[in-house]
Amino acid sequence: EYAGWHETLRSLAARLARVEKPELIFCLSDYSGIDVLASQLEILQYFPLLLTTQHLDQAIELSRSPERYRRAYGIYPLIADEGFAGRFRVRFGHAPKVYAANGYDAFRFLAAAMQAGADLTKPGFEFSGILGKYQVSGKTRGLLPQDEAVIMGLKDGKFTRISDWRP
């Protein structure tokens, strides 16, 4: 239940730190949930590896204790066009949030498909976007998934790319 989500995370942190003691925790939550879990683990003096989705940067930024994230890593989509963030910052005055490239690509993909008169129920239509190449799958009528990501974390006190991941 969402209403008790933060209390559930506090209880979970206590159980993990005192009973289960895992070496790694995979936290699927937004930035506030990540920070609740990380702060509780810090209070309990338990520091396993913490793996999150693409909300880690915001948790670190809004935290009053970024040090609690020294063993935390977030998985982010790989942006094939490295100039995107700079152009976004110039145009909008701030860094793009994690889904900005996805939304931008989705809009441009749809516009390109309409201009090309593409039949999206059949494979064959391709589009190169900020996140890389998109292809239509004839089986699911959806886009083939992106297989590349980057692992981000704190290095020398700065949130930065740690490594690439490819299946």
Side-chain angles (χ1 to χ4, degrees), residues 6 9-10 13 31-41 69:
H6 287 176
L9 285 171
R10 287 183 184 95
Y31 69 91
S32 65
I34 292 168
D35 196 52
V36 167
L37 180 64
S39 66
Q40 289 302 301
L41 293 172
Y69 293 103

Side-chain angles (χ1 to χ4, degrees), residues 56-118:
L56 181 60
D57 58 325
Q58 202 169 14
I60 292 170
E61 181 181 328
L62 297 174
S63 170
R64 294 186 180 167
S65 178
E67 178 60 24
R68 74 174 55 124
Y69 293 103
R70 67 185 178 278
R71 291 180 43 88
Y73 301 94
I75 302 170
Y76 289 76
L78 178 66
I79 296 179
D81 179 350
E82 293 190 13
F84 174 72
R87 292 192 309 275
F88 190 98
R89 185 181 295 278
V90 167
R91 178 156 185 172
F92 299 106
H94 60 84
K97 296 295 181 196
V98 68
Y99 295 114
N102 301 75
Y104 184 80
D105 276 356
F107 177 80
R108 290 190 56 232
F109 175 87
L110 184 57
M114 290 171 68
Q115 286 177 338

